[in-house]
Amino acid sequence: MTRQAAIERIEQYFDNGGFREDLARRVAIHTESPIPERRPELYRYLTDEMTPRLQQSGFTCQVFDNPLPDAGPFLVAHRHEDDSLPTVMSYGHGDVVRGYDDQWRKGLDPWSITVEGDRWYGRGTADNKGQHTINLSAMEAVLATRGRLGFNVVLLLEMGEECGSPGLDEFCAAHKDLFAADVFIASDGPRMQPDAPTVFMGSRGVFNFTMTLELREGGHHSGNWGGLLANPGVIMAHALASMIDARGRIRVDGWRAAPMSETVRAAIGRLKVGGGDGAPAIDPDWGEPGLSPEERVFGTNTFEVRAFETGNPRNPVNAIPPRATVWGHLRYVAGTDPDTLLPSLRKHLDANGFGAIELKSERDMMLATRLDPAHPWAQWAIGSLTETADGREVAVLPNLGGSLPNSVFADTLGLPTIWVPHSYAGCSQHAPNEHVLGRVCRDALRLMTGLWWDLGEGGTPAPG
Ligand SMILES: [Zn+2]
């Protein structure tokens, strides 16, 4: 009945092939959410694979249709022990991107697990079947060792994450009662380095927009009209130059991130970005001046030109083009109000003489979230992982540099969010030859068993 006994139990589960067997069964289900014909498989993953297994551990399970047509279903599973105990919400996604079956290396098959050395190949091993299998198996080990968990659980599995999580926010907003919890703990994405236990507590947001300057109907011969007609490509280039300088520093008022809090700065100060196979060299002089590379990617806002078109780049002619378009992109950290981004740009362009440029924001934005590393639940999770980590330091990211639908859990449901990723940057998720590292899976099973054990031990942060 000890923490160590639970960890030994999960080590045996891995060493005796139990983890590989569970994961292989899940990988074998063709849950490719971008392919409409796979819809029955999305349901089968929840009804035939996950529900029976969860029921064995005393979960009550319910599968819900997506509120949006043609989007994947949800499984909501509850295990309730006592009202006085803390409740954790966990999450995973059972859908995968397309298999791209014919593009995998010879000898590999996306729908079964092939082990080569420390690499376990198969679609979904990293994203996300392997990760939620680790978390649920670790919970089973705690239950088997202690005889009870010592906490309540609500689990949400979605089957549309690879299509941008359609209906997830609407579903959670409509069923807040189902997701009443004290803390959110789930796993997705890569560790900072393969052997570094990692937590991240939010993500940067994404704001995509287009800038269009259309001055007239068609192109005009530059010999006859050059010097008489304004060139929209030139004007757009100057507009861009007014928005960001030649070293990547943002110049739009309201677009730069507020200074980091001391705790966020301290957490980022312990991280190291870059390196690894095929990684490009970091440009030391790019971006917000006075910040480290780590602060630039995790602690501030960055603006990119995704594309810029004027005239016909594939067939340039000697003419003044009629229009220019820029596809712009801002990644922003929590603390930047996304509703102000487009108005701030409008104001900036008008003030700089670019009032003729039209602006449009693109589809839904992914919102930024961040839990301060000093938050009691963050400190609690870091403490538990550190205890299992055998002297390794836990990498703490206040937020990912990339984006994920964490605002559903952090904002819509109002939970402190803690992510413990079990993959690594070289895992080829979304590409052929997706894989996980066996040693990282074993390590992650141990860490999560320790975490769930500690959650049931009492002494967790007070509710609210
Ligand atoms: Zn994915």
Side-chain angles (χ1 to χ4, degrees):
M1 275 274 291
T2 64
R3 196 179 195 273
Q4 190 51 36
I7 289 175
E8 279 164 19
R9 184 184 291 269
I10 204 72
E11 288 171 347
Q12 283 164 23
Y13 164 75
F14 182 89
D15 295 343
N16 297 338
F19 176 69
R20 180 174 170 173
E21 195 180 304
D22 285 338
L23 184 56
R25 219 174 40 247
R26 291 168 190 175
V27 165
I29 303 175
H30 293 229
T31 53
E32 299 157 288
S33 58
I35 302 179
E37 297 75 52
R38 295 295 192 225
R39 210 174 151 69
E41 297 297 279
L42 303 184
Y43 278 86
R44 193 161 77 84
Y45 189 81
L46 299 182
T47 56
D48 295 14
E49 172 58 32
M50 300 311 293
T51 294
R53 182 63 170 259
L54 288 161
Q55 284 172 337
Q56 279 175 26
S57 299
F59 282 84
T60 55
C61 299
Q62 199 176 353
V63 173
F64 292 83
D65 292 331
N66 198 297
L68 302 183
D70 305 323
F74 301 103
L75 171 69
V76 180
H78 280 99
R79 189 179 192 286
H80 188 82
E81 287 189 1
D82 196 288
D83 285 346
S84 66
L85 297 173
T87 299
V88 62
M89 176 176 179
S90 195
Y91 159 88
H93 66 91
D95 66 316
V96 295
V97 296
R98 289 166 188 271
Y100 302 116
D101 299 31
D102 51 355
Q103 295 177 35
W104 287 53
R105 192 156 54 64
K106 199 165 173 291
L108 301 181
D109 165 20
W111 310 111
S112 60
I113 290 183
T114 308
V115 177
E116 287 182 4
D118 198 30
R119 293 185 170 200
W120 296 28
Y121 291 92
R123 175 59 82 223
T125 50
D127 184 17
N128 170 269
K129 291 171 178 175
Q131 304 218 21
H132 62 254
T133 297
I134 285 168
N135 292 356
L136 296 174
S137 299
M139 223 178 253
E140 289 171 353
V142 170
L143 186 58
T145 308
R146 185 184 265 148
R148 59 190 191 94
L149 289 175
F151 55 91
N152 308 309
V153 189
V154 51
L155 170 71
L156 171 64
L157 289 180
E158 73 158 322
M159 300 303 290
E161 199 267 352
E162 301 296 358
C163 295
S165 297
L168 177 66
D169 195 46
E170 294 85 341
F171 180 72
C172 287
H175 294 94
K176 279 187 187 165
D177 50 318
L178 292 179
F179 301 112
D182 298 292
V183 63
F184 174 97
I185 301 174
S187 298
D188 204 5
R191 289 178 165 190
M192 199 66 195
Q193 275 92 34
D195 293 304
T198 301
V199 292
F200 63 87
M201 290 162 292
S203 66
R204 288 202 293 182
V206 172
F207 167 56
N208 284 347
F209 61 96
T210 53
M211 302 167 55
T212 308
L213 179 60
E214 182 148 20
L215 294 184
R216 56 191 76 83
E217 275 282 299
H220 289 275
H221 190 278
S222 59
N224 299 330
W225 295 97
L228 302 178
L229 298 181
N231 185 313
V234 173
I235 295 172
M236 189 64 92
H238 283 276
L240 278 177
S242 77
M243 293 162 61
I244 185 164
D245 75 11
R247 295 204 185 280
R249 178 177 190 264
I250 292 173
R251 300 169 73 171
V252 179
D253 274 344
W255 270 24
R256 290 162 66 205
M260 286 162 272
S261 72
E262 272 319 303
T263 44
V264 167
R265 186 187 297 276
I268 293 174
R270 308 183 79 88
L271 304 174
K272 183 87 197 120
V273 290
D277 289 349
I282 290 169
D283 291 314
D285 295 334
W286 188 257
E288 186 68 22
L291 298 185
S292 69
E294 291 76 17
E295 288 172 338
R296 282 183 255 146
V297 71
F298 298 121
T300 192
N301 300 349
T302 50
F303 168 58
E304 310 296 341
V305 175
R306 291 175 297 154
F308 183 176
E309 187 176 57
T310 190
N312 182 352
R314 282 152 299 278
N315 182 25
V317 294
N318 295 339
I320 302 151
R323 78 184 66 82
T325 309
V326 163
W327 286 265
H329 169 84
L330 194 77
R331 294 242 181 211
Y332 65 94
V333 293
T336 301
D337 178 359
D339 294 334
T340 66
L341 295 173
L342 200 68
S344 295
L345 179 56
R346 180 75 275 160
K347 201 169 152 199
H348 171 89
L349 292 175
D350 291 348
N352 285 274
F354 301 110
I357 293 175
E358 285 175 28
L359 297 177
K360 210 172 137 205
S361 64
E362 281 176 32
R363 56 177 209 101
D364 298 346
M365 299 193 286
M366 197 86 92
L367 298 174
T369 55
R370 173 191 279 163
L371 184 69
D372 196 292
H375 189 281
W377 274 110
Q379 287 296 313
W380 173 86
I382 294 162
S384 169
L385 295 171
T386 302
E387 189 178 340
T388 316
D390 300 325
R392 286 170 297 163
E393 188 172 348
V394 176
V396 179
L397 284 70
N399 53 264
L400 273 189
S403 300
L404 82 188
N406 193 48
S407 75
V408 175
F409 314 115
D411 300 329
T412 304
L413 297 178
L415 300 175
T417 54
I418 293 162
W419 294 81
V420 189
H422 304 321
S423 182
Y424 80 115
C427 70
S428 300
Q429 73 177 85
H430 295 190
N433 311 328
E434 178 180 350
H435 61 276
V436 280
L437 300 178
R439 71 172 193 278
V440 173
C441 292
R442 191 177 190 277
D443 184 45
L445 284 162
R446 298 178 75 253
L447 291 163
M448 291 308 294
T449 300
L451 192 78
W452 298 140
W453 181 272
D454 293 343
L455 187 57
E457 276 288 88
T460 54

